[in-house]
Coordinates of all heavy atoms in Angstrom, one line a residue:
S1 N -0.7 -10.2 -11.5 CA -2.0 -10.5 -11.2 C -2.2 -10.2 -9.7 O -1.2 -10.0 -8.9 CB -2.3 -12.0 -11.5 OG -1.5 -12.8 -10.7
G2 N -3.5 -10.2 -9.2 CA -3.8 -10.0 -7.8 C -4.2 -8.7 -7.4 O -4.5 -8.5 -6.2
G3 N -4.3 -7.7 -8.3 CA -4.8 -6.4 -8.0 C -6.3 -6.5 -7.7 O -7.0 -7.5 -8.0
G4 N -6.8 -5.3 -7.3 CA -8.3 -5.3 -7.0 C -8.6 -4.1 -6.2 O -7.8 -3.2 -6.0
L5 N -9.9 -4.1 -5.6 CA -10.5 -3.1 -4.8 C -10.4 -3.6 -3.3 O -10.9 -4.7 -3.1 CB -11.8 -2.7 -5.2 CG -12.6 -1.8 -4.2 CD1 -11.9 -0.4 -4.2 CD2 -14.0 -1.6 -4.7
V6 N -9.9 -2.8 -2.4 CA -9.7 -3.3 -1.1 C -9.9 -2.0 -0.2 O -9.7 -0.9 -0.5 CB -8.4 -3.9 -0.7 CG1 -7.3 -2.9 -0.9 CG2 -8.4 -4.6 0.7
Q7 N -10.5 -2.3 1.0 CA -10.7 -1.1 2.0 C -9.4 -0.8 2.7 O -8.5 -1.6 2.8 CB -11.8 -1.5 3.1 CG -13.2 -1.5 2.5 CD -14.2 -1.6 3.6 OE1 -13.9 -2.3 4.7 NE2 -15.4 -1.1 3.4
A8 N -9.3 0.4 3.1 CA -8.0 0.8 3.9 C -7.9 -0.1 5.1 O -8.8 -0.5 5.8 CB -8.2 2.3 4.4
G9 N -6.6 -0.4 5.2 CA -6.2 -1.4 6.4 C -6.3 -2.8 5.8 O -5.8 -3.7 6.6
G10 N -6.7 -3.1 4.7 CA -6.7 -4.4 4.1 C -5.4 -4.9 3.5 O -4.4 -4.1 3.5
S11 N -5.5 -6.0 2.9 CA -4.2 -6.7 2.3 C -4.5 -7.2 0.9 O -5.6 -7.5 0.6 CB -3.8 -7.8 3.2 OG -3.4 -7.3 4.4
L12 N -3.5 -7.2 0.1 CA -3.6 -7.7 -1.2 C -2.2 -8.4 -1.4 O -1.2 -7.9 -0.9 CB -3.8 -6.8 -2.3 CG -5.2 -6.2 -2.5 CD1 -5.2 -5.2 -3.6 CD2 -6.1 -7.4 -2.9
R13 N -2.1 -9.5 -2.3 CA -0.8 -10.1 -2.8 C -0.8 -10.0 -4.2 O -1.6 -10.6 -4.9 CB -0.7 -11.4 -2.1 CG 0.8 -11.9 -2.5 CD 1.1 -13.3 -1.8 NE 0.6 -14.4 -2.8 CZ 1.1 -15.7 -2.7 NH1 2.2 -15.9 -1.9 NH2 0.6 -16.6 -3.4
L14 N 0.2 -9.3 -4.7 CA 0.4 -9.3 -6.2 C 1.4 -10.4 -6.5 O 2.3 -10.7 -5.8 CB 0.9 -7.9 -6.6 CG 0.1 -6.8 -6.2 CD1 0.8 -5.5 -6.8 CD2 -1.4 -6.9 -6.6
S15 N 1.3 -10.9 -7.7 CA 2.1 -12.0 -8.3 C 2.6 -11.5 -9.7 O 1.9 -10.7 -10.4 CB 1.4 -13.3 -8.5 OG 1.0 -13.8 -7.2
C16 N 3.8 -11.9 -10.0 CA 4.4 -11.5 -11.3 C 5.1 -12.8 -11.8 O 6.0 -13.3 -11.2 CB 5.4 -10.4 -11.1 SG 6.4 -10.1 -12.6
A17 N 4.6 -13.3 -12.9 CA 5.2 -14.4 -13.6 C 5.5 -14.2 -15.0 O 4.7 -13.7 -15.7 CB 4.1 -15.6 -13.5
P18 N 6.8 -14.4 -15.4 CA 7.1 -14.2 -16.7 C 6.7 -15.3 -17.7 O 6.4 -16.5 -17.3 CB 8.7 -14.1 -16.7 CG 9.0 -15.0 -15.6 CD 7.9 -14.9 -14.6
S19 N 6.6 -15.0 -19.0 CA 6.4 -16.0 -20.0 C 7.5 -15.8 -21.0 O 7.8 -14.8 -21.3 CB 5.0 -15.9 -20.6 OG 4.8 -14.7 -21.3
G20 N 8.0 -16.9 -21.6 CA 8.9 -16.8 -22.6 C 10.4 -17.0 -22.2 O 11.2 -17.3 -22.9
R21 N 10.7 -16.8 -20.9 CA 12.0 -17.0 -20.4 C 12.0 -17.1 -18.9 O 10.9 -16.7 -18.3 CB 13.0 -15.9 -20.9 CG 12.7 -14.6 -20.3 CD 13.9 -13.6 -20.6 NE 15.1 -14.0 -20.1 CZ 16.3 -13.6 -20.5 NH1 16.3 -12.7 -21.5 NH2 17.4 -14.0 -19.9
T22 N 13.0 -17.5 -18.3 CA 13.1 -17.4 -16.8 C 13.9 -16.2 -16.3 O 14.8 -15.7 -17.1 CB 13.9 -18.7 -16.3 OG1 14.0 -18.6 -14.9 CG2 15.3 -18.8 -16.8
F23 N 13.5 -15.6 -15.2 CA 14.1 -14.5 -14.7 C 14.8 -14.7 -13.3 O 15.0 -13.8 -12.6 CB 13.1 -13.3 -14.6 CG 12.7 -12.6 -15.9 CD1 11.7 -13.2 -16.6 CD2 13.4 -11.5 -16.3 CE1 11.4 -12.6 -17.8 CE2 13.1 -11.0 -17.5 CZ 12.1 -11.5 -18.3
S24 N 15.1 -16.0 -13.2 CA 15.6 -16.4 -11.8 C 17.0 -15.7 -11.5 O 17.4 -15.6 -10.4 CB 15.9 -17.9 -11.8 OG 16.7 -18.4 -12.8
S25 N 17.7 -15.2 -12.5 CA 19.0 -14.5 -12.2 C 18.9 -13.1 -12.3 O 19.9 -12.4 -12.1 CB 20.1 -15.0 -13.3 OG 19.7 -14.6 -14.5
Y26 N 17.8 -12.5 -12.4 CA 17.5 -11.1 -12.6 C 17.1 -10.4 -11.3 O 16.4 -11.1 -10.4 CB 16.4 -10.8 -13.7 CG 16.9 -10.9 -15.1 CD1 17.3 -12.1 -15.7 CD2 16.9 -9.7 -15.9 CE1 17.7 -12.1 -17.0 CE2 17.3 -9.7 -17.2 CZ 17.7 -11.0 -17.7 OH 18.2 -11.0 -19.0
V27 N 17.5 -9.2 -11.1 CA 16.9 -8.4 -10.0 C 15.6 -8.0 -10.5 O 15.3 -7.6 -11.7 CB 17.7 -7.1 -9.8 CG1 17.1 -6.1 -8.9 CG2 19.2 -7.4 -9.3
M28 N 14.6 -8.2 -9.6 CA 13.2 -7.8 -10.0 C 12.7 -6.7 -9.1 O 13.1 -6.5 -8.0 CB 12.3 -9.1 -9.6 CG 12.7 -10.3 -10.4 SD 12.5 -10.1 -12.3 CE 10.6 -10.0 -12.4
G29 N 11.8 -5.9 -9.7 CA 11.3 -4.7 -9.0 C 9.8 -4.7 -9.2 O 9.3 -5.1 -10.1
W30 N 9.2 -4.0 -8.1 CA 7.8 -3.6 -8.2 C 7.8 -2.0 -8.3 O 8.5 -1.4 -7.5 CB 7.0 -4.1 -7.0 CG 6.6 -5.5 -7.1 CD1 7.2 -6.6 -6.5 CD2 5.5 -6.1 -7.8 NE1 6.6 -7.7 -6.8 CE2 5.5 -7.5 -7.7 CE3 4.5 -5.6 -8.7 CZ2 4.6 -8.4 -8.2 CZ3 3.6 -6.4 -9.3 CH2 3.6 -7.8 -9.0
F31 N 7.0 -1.6 -9.2 CA 6.8 -0.1 -9.4 C 5.3 0.2 -9.3 O 4.5 -0.7 -9.4 CB 7.3 0.4 -10.8 CG 8.8 0.1 -11.0 CD1 9.3 -1.1 -11.2 CD2 9.6 1.2 -11.0 CE1 10.7 -1.3 -11.4 CE2 10.9 1.0 -11.3 CZ 11.5 -0.2 -11.4
R32 N 5.0 1.4 -9.1 CA 3.6 1.9 -9.2 C 3.5 3.3 -9.8 O 4.4 4.0 -9.7 CB 3.0 1.8 -7.8 CG 3.5 2.8 -6.8 CD 2.8 2.6 -5.4 NE 3.2 3.6 -4.5 CZ 2.9 3.5 -3.2 NH1 2.2 2.6 -2.7 NH2 3.4 4.5 -2.4
Q33 N 2.4 3.5 -10.4 CA 2.0 4.8 -11.0 C 0.6 5.2 -10.7 O -0.2 4.5 -11.1 CB 2.3 4.7 -12.5 CG 2.2 6.1 -13.1 CD 2.7 6.1 -14.5 OE1 2.8 5.0 -15.2 NE2 3.0 7.2 -15.1
A34 N 0.5 6.3 -9.9 CA -0.8 6.9 -9.5 C -1.2 7.9 -10.6 O -0.3 8.3 -11.4 CB -0.7 7.5 -8.2
P35 N -2.4 8.1 -10.7 CA -2.9 9.1 -11.7 C -2.2 10.5 -11.6 O -2.1 11.0 -10.5 CB -4.4 9.2 -11.4 CG -4.7 8.0 -10.7 CD -3.6 7.5 -10.0
G36 N -1.7 10.9 -12.7 CA -1.0 12.2 -12.7 C 0.4 12.2 -12.1 O 1.0 13.3 -12.0
K37 N 0.9 11.1 -11.7 CA 2.2 11.0 -11.2 C 3.1 10.1 -12.0 O 2.7 9.3 -12.8 CB 2.1 10.5 -9.7 CG 1.4 11.4 -8.8 CD 1.5 10.8 -7.3 CE 0.8 11.8 -6.4 NZ 1.0 11.4 -5.0
E38 N 4.5 10.3 -11.7 CA 5.4 9.5 -12.4 C 5.5 8.1 -11.8 O 5.1 7.9 -10.6 CB 6.8 10.1 -12.3 CG 7.0 11.3 -13.0 CD 8.4 11.9 -13.1 OE1 9.3 11.4 -12.3 OE2 8.6 13.0 -13.8
R39 N 5.9 7.1 -12.6 CA 6.1 5.8 -12.1 C 7.2 5.7 -11.2 O 8.3 6.3 -11.4 CB 6.4 4.8 -13.2 CG 6.3 3.3 -12.9 CD 6.3 2.5 -14.2 NE 5.3 2.8 -15.1 CZ 5.1 2.1 -16.2 NH1 5.8 1.0 -16.5 NH2 4.1 2.4 -17.0
E40 N 7.0 5.1 -10.0 CA 8.0 5.1 -9.0 C 8.4 3.6 -8.5 O 7.5 2.8 -8.5 CB 7.6 5.9 -7.7 CG 6.4 5.3 -7.0 CD 6.2 5.9 -5.6 OE1 7.1 6.4 -5.0 OE2 5.0 5.7 -5.0
L41 N 9.6 3.5 -8.2 CA 10.1 2.2 -7.7 C 9.7 2.0 -6.2 O 9.9 3.0 -5.4 CB 11.6 2.1 -7.8 CG 12.3 0.9 -7.2 CD1 11.9 -0.4 -7.8 CD2 13.8 1.1 -7.1
I42 N 9.1 0.9 -5.9 CA 8.7 0.7 -4.4 C 9.4 -0.4 -3.8 O 9.6 -0.4 -2.6 CB 7.2 0.6 -4.2 CG1 6.7 -0.6 -5.1 CG2 6.5 1.9 -4.7 CD1 5.2 -0.9 -4.8
A43 N 9.9 -1.4 -4.6 CA 10.6 -2.6 -4.0 C 11.5 -3.3 -4.9 O 11.1 -3.3 -6.1 CB 9.5 -3.5 -3.4

């Protein structure tokens, strides 16, 4: 959650919450995929 439309120079905070189990022991990653591009790992 937390996505949206923002002007250049602005800020957003994304959140990721699991349902069904806890992921406290897992490595977590954020990825992104732009139109026409492959999904890439960013953090």
Side-chain angles (χ1 to χ4, degrees):
S1 61
L5 173 64
V6 64
Q7 288 189 329
S11 298
L12 283 173
R13 188 175 82 155
L14 306 183
S15 299
C16 171
S19 64
R21 66 172 296 163
T22 178
F23 284 88
S24 58
S25 64
Y26 279 65
V27 172
M28 301 294 295
W30 283 98
F31 296 75
R32 68 184 180 188
Q33 187 166 18
K37 295 188 177 181
E38 292 188 351
R39 192 172 300 187
E40 64 167 340
L41 171 67
I42 58 172

